[in-house]
Structure formats: structure tokens, C-alpha cells
Amino acid sequence: MKLNVNGSEHEIDVEPEMPLLWALRDELAIRGPKFGCGIAQCGACTVFIDGEPVRSCSVTVGEVSGAVTTIEGLASDGRLHPVQQAWIDEQVAQCGYCHAGQIMTAVALLQAIPDPSDEDIDNAMSGNLCRCGTYPRIRAAIKRAASATAGA
């Protein structure tokens, strides 16, 4: 089975029913997406398939027909994505477990709504859980990233 992940083609020998999350982590050693709940409710495993955010724990490898992007694939030309940089600047992470999924969801939000309101942010991010409760810093980082990309 072939998967395009972060711009590279990979040939993997797995059953089509294997969740994409396990193929990424166990077969390709891509550790950004995390297992949180296994039922697409927490957001820790969020990746993009053809630019759309999906929960990789609930998508099988056999269902993937487009390019997969994980948090490892967001940076380009040696520079972090503006959302990744904003996460650092705002010191969002505490334990950090959920943040790959949080960042992927935030990137999707900013692609859809470049200058989101607090309500837009809260609605978009409501499906991503953070045990540490860094939600105010997450909102600040998203606003910082929106400002950094305005007019870019």
C-alpha cells in the first residue's frame, strides 16, 4: 500500500483496515499524531488529508486516497509554520501531548478564517481537548499567528 506523507511516498505492508494513526506511528515512525481516545473525540491524532483535517484514529489506511500531512510536515524551508512559531512564542504547551492535534486544527481554522474572532476560535477548537487547560494561551497563539500571516 502506498501513502504520500509530508511530501514523500511510502510503501507499507499493512492491512487496509489499519487506522491511519497506527500506520503513521508504527510503520513510518511519525510520532506527532498521538493516540488520545481512539474514537475521534479528543483531536490528539489530527492530520490533514488533502488539506482537510481528519482524526487519524478513525480513518483506515485503505480509505486514504490523498496526501497526508502531519505536524512534522507543516514547516517549510527550515522555518516553522506561523502557528507552530506562535505556539512557542505564547508558551502554549505544558505537557504538550495534545498540541500536534491542536496546531493542525488551528492551521485549518486560519486557512478557512484568516482573522478569526474568539467565538470562531472557540468553535473550531472545541473538539480538541487539553488536560492542562491551556485554552487561553491557545487562543492567544491563534490570534498571534493570524496577525503574523495577515497581508503575507
Side-chain angles (χ1 to χ4, degrees), residues 120-141:
D120 293 330
I121 294 169
D122 292 347
N123 288 337
M125 302 304 292
S126 66
N128 289 72
L129 303 179
C130 175
R131 283 182 65 163
C132 301
T134 64
Y135 300 113
R137 286 188 267 168
I138 289 169
R139 184 186 292 145

Side-chain angles (χ1 to χ4, degrees), residues 2-144:
K2 288 186 181 181
L3 281 180
N4 181 311
V5 181
N6 298 328
S8 297
E9 285 289 329
H10 300 273
E11 184 75 36
I12 57 174
D13 184 22
V14 299
E15 295 295 323
E17 298 82 23
M18 175 183 268
L20 175 59
L21 176 63
W22 300 133
L24 293 171
R25 292 184 61 79
D26 296 345
E27 299 297 319
L28 300 177
I30 296 172
R31 303 286 190 231
K34 303 288 192 285
F35 177 81
C37 66
I39 57 172
Q41 297 297 305
C42 73
C45 67
T46 303
V47 300
F48 293 157
I49 298 177
D50 281 342
E52 295 297 319
V54 298
R55 307 299 168 91
S56 62
C57 71
S58 64
V59 174
T60 66
V61 173
E63 294 173 309
V64 176
S65 61
V68 176
T69 305
T70 69
I71 191 166
E72 292 88 347
L74 287 182
S76 64
D77 297 325
R79 296 186 66 199
L80 293 176
H81 186 281
V83 174
Q84 292 172 305
Q85 187 60 56
W87 238 251
I88 293 167
D89 295 342
E90 293 293 332
Q91 300 179 14
V92 173
Q94 284 187 25
C95 83
Y97 195 85
C98 70
H99 290 290
Q102 298 273 6
I103 288 170
M104 298 302 284
T105 302
V107 169
L109 166 63
L110 292 176
Q111 288 172 346
I113 306 172
D115 186 22
S117 66
D118 287 348
E119 183 178 2
D120 293 330
I121 294 169
D122 292 347
N123 288 337
M125 302 304 292
S126 66
N128 289 72
L129 303 179
C130 175
R131 283 182 65 163
C132 301
T134 64
Y135 300 113
R137 286 188 267 168
I138 289 169
R139 184 186 292 145
I142 293 170
K143 288 191 171 286
R144 180 185 286 253

